[in-house]
Amino acid sequence: MRITVTHRPRAASPAVALGLVAALASVGRAQTTVAQRSEGARPASDSAILAAETYVRPPAVIERLVTAPRDNNVTLASQTQSPTHRWFFKLVSAGMPSVQTFGRPHYYLGELQVDYQANRSRALTDRGAAKLELIDGLTGAVRTIDVPHGATISSAEWSPDGARIAYIANFESATRLYVADVASGKSRAVGSVSLLATLVTEPQWTADGKSLVAVILPEPRKAPPVRPAIATGPEVRITDGLKDKTRVYATLLQTPYDEALLEYYITGQLAVIDAATGAVRRLGAPAMIDAVDPSPDGKYFRVTLVEKPFSYIVPVSSFAHAQQLWDATGRVVAHLALDPERLSDDRDDLTPADRQAMDTVARGFVWLPDGSGLAYLKQDPSPNRGESDSTAGAESGAAESASRTPRRKDHLYAWAPPFDSASRRELLTSNARMGSVLFSDDAKMAFVAENTGGTGHVYAVYFAQPDKRYTIWRLRGLNASVGTDRRGFFGGGRGGSGADSVTFYENPGSIMTTRGRLGGEVALLSSDRASAFLEGTHYDRDWEHHAPRGFVDRIDIQSGKKTSVFEGAADAFETVTAVMDDSLSRLVVERQSRSTVPDSYLRDVATGRTRKLTNNVDYAPELTHALHKRVWVTRPDGYRFLVNLTLPADYKDGTRMPTLFWFYPYEYTDQGGYLRTLRMENIEQFPRSQPRTIEYMITQGYAVADFDPPIVGTQGRMNDNYVSDLEADLYAVIDQLDRDGYIDRTRLAIGGHSYGAFSAVNAMVHTPFFKAGIAGDGMYNRSLTPNGFQNERRDFWDGQKTYLDMSPFLYADKLSGALLMYHSLEDQNVGTALESSVRMLHALQGLGKTAALYMYPYEDHGPLTRETVLDQWARWVAWLDKYVKNAPPSSAAPDVKALTGSR
């Protein structure tokens, strides 16, 4: 039996991570060059494609769909809108990135990816744009801004007056700051300094628009650390007897040399750079700066620093951080917060006093939008020192008694220069913990979000009358949040599964925001400042026949009276993406339907007249015009779930097609939990296509069934039923689609990515239906994720039987069908180590199973480069054609009913 591995390991390169990834990932540029030379010719046979050790290409129609310039399409949204409301910028990509770009030398340092030649985040290198365009929000006219030759661009930021755009120019070996003039369309470099953009990856304007704040390379800068030619000792790991259940991270720091590299590449100089002259004013000493937030007047800086000691067991994002307040000389005015190293949530070394101390620190620091100083929140400690508060977050009057401790008050403070104890004043006190606060532009009032006892409450308060609260909305089952903190009203997972089934349909909307006159985010208020605006989406209980409808309401702050400003059409899906003035007399509305590509329109609210602003293109008409069917499936135990079946546009009723199942299981405690995830389905959503949209397989003569099989069980133990429910789900889908006449049950394949890959291999070892499978970036042995995975919170020893039952590696001898695995050599996802795929292939080799493993250089979890994605499609098609569509006839497929028995 031949085992095909697309890239053989060579000596480790400095561009890749350590450990197994380093051993396997260092594929040289020579192979890439060979692949390019042979790219024009697709091998004649499926076997030749599958055996090729250079990049290969798929059928022409799939290549067209994969490489379509879909990034040229645009949505005019507030995130890219100028402060004047008139213009929108668009960063235009050059298409899919290449392996030449992804293969540039880089380090992985505690999961921080660094392009060390250019001193920036690898993401800036990999995903920089080729062009910068301006789009007129009144006419839709497009202008192109000149950008420097030989650079890609990233992190565009409007100046406060909307006359200029600052951006980062990514050159081959340097990272520079540029400013574009909107009127002339010309760009110019801001000084000659090079940025350090490894952690701070966006420039920021001062409120007067005269300067930019950034982190630059320190001067003088020492040479980078050099790896010792000979190891100076062993790599050491010691546990201290305290439980600390961390996840399986891909590229942690390993040695003192790694620590030295990290410190070198994140140590930068905070600087204020004159936008006109390029003059540089350096603030303080170089430091490991993770984030910078300048005050509106540019006189103070909220600086977040990475703290030592570093860690070998968590990534950089979980290292200890200190938040400090600096003045314009770099002097530390105040220590705002210290975030300790973030380990696991279930550490047993934290006493109640420790947890209380973490819970009562000052939090939520933000600059007041009127420029008067900082605002922050701070909660009182528990009256019973060292004990947790039993009533914090309880509903008013619910289950309280005199024996319980009183509620802990939460406070909103304003803190003015010189930021000493005398310049601090209280703005607001609440009996509940405040989740988030959104100020008005003059900072005289704010909107506050609180969540207590399962009830979300958003209210307004005027600081001149802090005891009066004006409720904007209060609803049980909805999560309250305001401003950039808002994470959606329907906390609890997919599709709003955590929202109450009644209140879900009463979505009151989010408070709309705008840019403050001094920068930052503030509440959007009417010109008389008496009203705010709420935007959101209303979902229909009969979602299978009625699309959701976007809306904007005006709400009188003191009376709570609402007036509709906008409601989306019933025969399409319309949402407001930007406003053209603070009175909301003109809106930018995105409109789409199941057959109409999304486009932006300028809508006059008073007259209802619209003007089309964009001319987006349908780059995947094969998918748009395909037959899309929603098929309800019922398991023998009564659980129902939905399968999205896609068939070619020319499908003839009664034709039984070879079919690819593509899936990703989710866990639920009951039928209702699953059904709640469907409430945000949108029958008028245009079929979105991306380079790896699996439904492209319909162009090759396959039906595609895409679904999320439910795994149902008691809370915390859902996976005890994983194997049996997975079997029942698959049996039910096959039975239903067979009964409906869509599929040829003797020619079935199954596949998935990540947890879907893991589940696809489980399907192939526990059921006999699939002639072939595709599994990408998966984990196949749960003993390699001993502290939990996905939504499984038990560790291996608490749920040992479940861990073992769910590990397809342990059942590899039962594999039915031919398995194609692929894995990114630089997969950074938690819990999907490359080693799992390597060992799985080794096992299948020893068992005499038909399998292949393709390992792709430079790619992370979910491949992105043109060469890799096209190569994957070529091999997927060849694999399925060889082992499914064109496989020799076999005996009748196993009978579902016989296999399910009494299920």
Side-chain angles (χ1 to χ4, degrees):
M1 184 181 86
R2 176 166 182 157
I3 298 182
T4 302
V5 180
T6 57
H7 298 290
R8 297 190 179 100
R10 301 196 315 195
S13 159
V16 297
L18 303 168
L20 181 63
V21 173
L24 293 172
S26 57
V27 181
R29 294 177 184 271
Q31 287 191 350
T32 302
T33 304
V34 171
Q36 292 172 325
R37 288 201 298 267
S38 63
E39 194 176 50
R42 184 171 182 261
S45 70
D46 293 334
S47 295
I49 292 171
L50 295 171
E53 292 195 73
T54 57
Y55 292 108
V56 291
R57 291 165 61 174
V61 62
I62 287 186
E63 182 164 352
R64 172 174 57 79
L65 292 169
V66 168
T67 61
R70 55 183 52 83
D71 286 344
N72 289 344
N73 287 346
V74 61
T75 295
L76 303 185
S78 58
Q79 293 86 343
T80 61
Q81 189 177 21
S82 69
T84 64
H85 300 295
R86 174 71 180 270
W87 298 97
F88 298 82
F89 70 73
K90 176 175 172 56
L91 296 177
V92 183
S93 80
M96 298 178 69
S98 68
V99 291
Q100 283 78 20
T101 299
F102 268 50
R104 279 179 51 87
H106 54 277
Y107 289 136
Y108 285 99
L109 300 169
E111 296 198 342
L112 177 67
Q113 301 185 32
V114 176
D115 177 347
Y116 56 83
Q117 291 182 339
N119 293 291
R120 61 177 173 253
S121 166
R122 187 187 176 212
L124 298 181
T125 298
D126 294 348
R127 296 166 180 80
K131 294 194 301 182
L132 174 61
E133 291 181 344
L134 291 179
I135 303 169
D136 190 327
L138 298 180
T139 67
V142 179
R143 296 169 49 204
T144 300
I145 298 291
D146 289 340
V147 296
H149 178 71
T152 61
I153 57 177
S154 307
S155 308
E157 296 287 337
W158 284 104
S159 64
D161 60 1
R164 291 156 296 162
I165 301 174
Y167 61 86
I168 289 177
N170 305 301
F171 292 93
E172 185 81 8
S173 57
T175 306
R176 299 287 173 80
L177 185 59
Y178 272 69
V179 166
D181 181 75
V182 171
S184 68
K186 303 296 183 181
S187 290
R188 57 177 176 79
V190 181
S192 59
V193 296
S194 292
L195 302 183
L196 178 71
T198 51
L199 290 177
V200 179
T201 58
E202 296 178 352
Q204 296 186 67
W205 290 91
T206 54
D208 59 10
K210 294 180 179 180
S211 301
L212 287 154
V213 179
V215 177
I216 63 175
L217 295 181
E219 293 182 0
R221 194 187 195 200
K222 298 179 181 178
V226 177
R227 182 188 296 276
I230 300 296
T232 59
E235 294 185 10
V236 177
R237 303 292 182 272
I238 300 174
T239 62
D240 56 10
L242 299 173
K243 289 184 179 179
D244 186 15
K245 297 179 181 178
T246 59
R247 306 301 287 268
V248 181
Y249 299 105
T251 48
L252 299 172
L253 299 182
Q254 298 286 324
T255 65
Y257 168 69
D258 293 343
E259 294 186 84
L261 276 181
L262 175 64
E263 183 172 7
Y264 182 83
Y265 285 107
I266 67 173
T267 297
Q269 174 69 61
L270 182 60
V272 177
I273 307 171
D274 189 292
T277 67
V280 177
R281 177 163 55 91
R282 291 171 171 80
L283 282 68
M288 296 184 290
I289 301 174
D290 186 58
V292 181
D293 182 18
S295 65
D297 59 10
K299 295 181 179 179
Y300 294 92
F301 302 83
R302 194 160 56 91
V303 181
T304 303
L305 303 176
V306 178
E307 292 281 279
K308 287 184 174 182
F310 296 156
S311 173
Y312 288 164
I313 65 172
V314 293
V316 172
S317 59
S318 293
F319 286 6
H321 287 71
Q323 193 175 145
Q324 299 176 350
L325 186 63
W326 293 10
D327 66 13
T329 69
R331 181 178 65 90
V332 178
V333 175
H335 295 273
L336 303 180
L338 176 63
D339 297 326
E341 181 179 331
R342 292 184 285 277
L343 301 170
S344 60
D345 294 330
D346 54 354
R347 293 175 61 191
D348 65 357
D349 61 322
L350 295 179
T351 67
D354 291 333
R355 296 184 185 278
Q356 176 181 296
M358 294 170 63
D359 189 40
T360 57
V361 297
R363 68 189 195 279
F365 286 93
V366 64
W367 292 109
L368 285 164
D370 65 349
S372 62
L374 283 168
Y376 66 93
L377 296 163
K378 192 173 190 298
Q379 191 167 22
D380 290 343
S382 172
N384 293 336
R385 187 175 180 180
E387 296 181 8
S388 61
D389 179 12
S390 62
T391 62
E395 189 73 51
S396 178
E400 292 191 40
S401 69
S403 62
R404 294 187 174 181
T405 57
R407 287 176 180 249
R408 295 163 54 195
K409 294 184 182 297
D410 204 10
H411 307 271
L412 173 63
Y413 292 102
W415 199 13
F419 301 103
D420 56 18
S421 58
S423 63
R424 199 182 327 246
R425 63 188 175 92
E426 185 177 283
L427 296 176
L428 178 66
T429 297
S430 175
N431 287 327
R433 187 177 174 92
M434 290 177 267
S436 50
V437 178
L438 177 65
F439 290 92
S440 62
D441 191 41
D442 60 8
K444 292 181 178 180
M445 60 89 63
F447 297 90
V448 179
E450 297 175 350
N451 294 281
T452 58
T455 295
H457 185 201
V458 173
Y459 60 86
V461 59
Y462 294 89
F463 298 129
Q465 298 175 302
D467 294 331
K468 297 189 69 173
R469 313 291 164 88
Y470 300 96
T471 292
I472 304 299
W473 62 263
R474 186 203 298 265
L475 286 168
R476 183 168 182 81
L478 294 191
N479 180 59
S481 55
V482 292
T484 53
D485 180 68
R486 65 178 186 244
R487 293 171 288 271
F489 287 104
F490 315 115
R494 302 174 59 243
S497 59
D500 179 84
S501 59
V502 175
T503 54
F504 174 86
Y505 299 103
E506 299 176 7
N507 177 10
S510 304
I511 295 175
M512 298 182 73
T513 62
T514 189
R515 180 190 174 100
R517 59 186 172 84
L518 299 180
E521 181 186 49
V522 298
L524 176 61
L525 301 180
S526 58
S527 56
D528 63 4
R529 312 190 67 77
S531 299
F533 299 92
L534 299 170
E535 64 173 337
T537 303
H538 283 145
Y539 294 90
D540 197 285
R541 287 178 172 82
D542 186 10
W543 61 264
E544 291 187 86
H545 299 95
H546 300 285
R549 303 175 74 173
F551 70 89
V552 173
D553 289 336
R554 176 172 175 152
I555 182 168
D556 183 87
I557 295 172
Q558 295 196 21
S559 71
K561 181 181 178 181
K562 289 183 182 180
T563 305
S564 176
V565 175
F566 166 82
E567 184 177 30
D571 60 348
F573 180 54
E574 295 182 329
T575 56
V576 173
T577 58
V579 301
M580 297 303 292
D581 52 64
D582 287 350
S583 65
L584 271 68
S585 64
R586 291 175 299 180
L587 307 173
V588 177
V589 176
E590 184 182 69
R591 178 184 176 91
Q592 63 180 295
S593 74
R594 66 190 81 183
S595 59
T596 305
V597 67
D599 266 310
S600 296
Y601 294 80
L602 180 65
R603 180 185 179 111
D604 186 289
V605 172
T607 66
R609 287 195 297 266
T610 61
R611 176 174 186 167
K612 192 176 184 183
L613 298 174
T614 61
N615 293 285
N616 293 330
V617 176
D618 180 3
Y619 289 108
E622 292 85 351
L623 188 57
T624 305
H625 302 303
L627 298 181
H628 300 278
K629 296 182 177 292
R630 287 181 168 90
V631 180
W632 280 100
V633 170
T634 303
R635 295 188 336 200
D637 60 6
Y639 279 99
R640 301 173 67 239
F641 60 99
L642 194 64
V643 174
N644 293 300
L645 181 67
T646 306
L647 303 163
D650 59 356
Y651 174 80
K652 293 181 173 56
D653 287 345
T655 303
R656 294 183 176 274
M657 301 189 66
T659 302
L660 171 62
F661 288 11
W662 198 262
F663 75 153
Y664 195 104
Y666 286 92
E667 301 82 13
Y668 307 93
T669 56
D670 55 28
Q671 177 74 74
Y674 171 80
L675 294 176
R676 284 192 292 273
T677 68
L678 302 178
R679 298 178 301 186
M680 295 173 76
E681 290 282 316
N682 185 354
I683 63 170
E684 292 297 347
Q685 180 173 313
F686 183 76
R688 298 297 176 96
S689 63
Q690 296 297 328
R692 286 161 51 85
T693 297
I694 198 64
E695 282 76 13
Y696 295 160
M697 286 301 300
I698 64 172
T699 67
Q700 304 304 303
Y702 294 86
V704 177
D706 191 340
F707 58 102
D708 301 331
I711 306 300
V712 185
T714 57
Q715 185 65 44
R717 303 187 67 90
M718 289 92 82
N719 281 330
D720 290 354
N721 300 327
Y722 174 87
V723 173
S724 60
D725 276 12
L726 187 67
E727 292 174 345
D729 293 334
L730 292 170
Y731 293 150
V733 173
I734 294 169
D735 203 19
Q736 185 64 55
L737 298 183
D738 181 36
R739 187 162 50 244
D740 292 344
Y742 295 125
I743 66 171
D744 178 350
R745 60 191 291 170
T746 68
R747 293 188 295 168
L748 300 179
I750 193 163
H753 183 80
S754 192
Y755 200 65
F758 158 77
S759 296
V761 180
N762 262 308
M764 294 181 71
V765 301
H766 291 297
T767 71
F769 294 111
F770 302 104
K771 287 187 174 296
I774 299 172
D777 289 346
M779 167 55 66
Y780 311 113
N781 184 344
R782 283 298 157 201
S783 70
L784 298 179
T785 57
N787 291 329
F789 59 90
Q790 203 71 358
N791 291 320
E792 178 58 63
R793 293 296 173 259
R794 294 172 294 179
D795 63 25
F796 179 85
W797 296 270
D798 287 336
Q800 187 170 116
K801 183 178 185 303
T802 296
Y803 272 66
L804 297 177
D805 288 347
M806 293 178 69
S807 297
F809 178 85
L810 303 182
Y811 301 89
D813 59 322
K814 304 295 193 298
L815 183 81
S816 63
L819 176 61
L820 180 156
M821 292 182 291
Y822 64 88
H823 214 117
S824 297
L825 285 172
E826 300 183 25
D827 186 355
Q828 297 299 293
N829 186 54
V830 173
T832 54
L834 171 64
E835 180 182 10
S836 175
S837 292
V838 174
R839 301 307 173 207
M840 188 67 170
L841 184 70
H842 192 202
L844 295 175
Q845 172 189 350
L847 291 166
K849 302 292 184 179
T850 301
L853 172 59
Y854 301 95
M855 295 178 284
Y856 290 93
Y858 318 125
E859 301 283 3
D860 197 344
H861 194 71
L864 294 174
T865 67
R866 176 189 179 100
E867 293 86 349
T868 293
V869 176
L870 289 176
D871 185 274
Q872 288 185 340
W873 274 108
R875 297 181 199 270
W876 295 350
V877 172
W879 193 264
L880 297 187
D881 282 356
K882 180 175 182 178
Y883 293 109
V884 180
K885 186 164 68 175
N886 302 321
S890 60
S891 58
D895 179 64
V896 172
K897 293 180 180 178
L899 287 166
T900 57
S902 60
R903 282 196 185 91

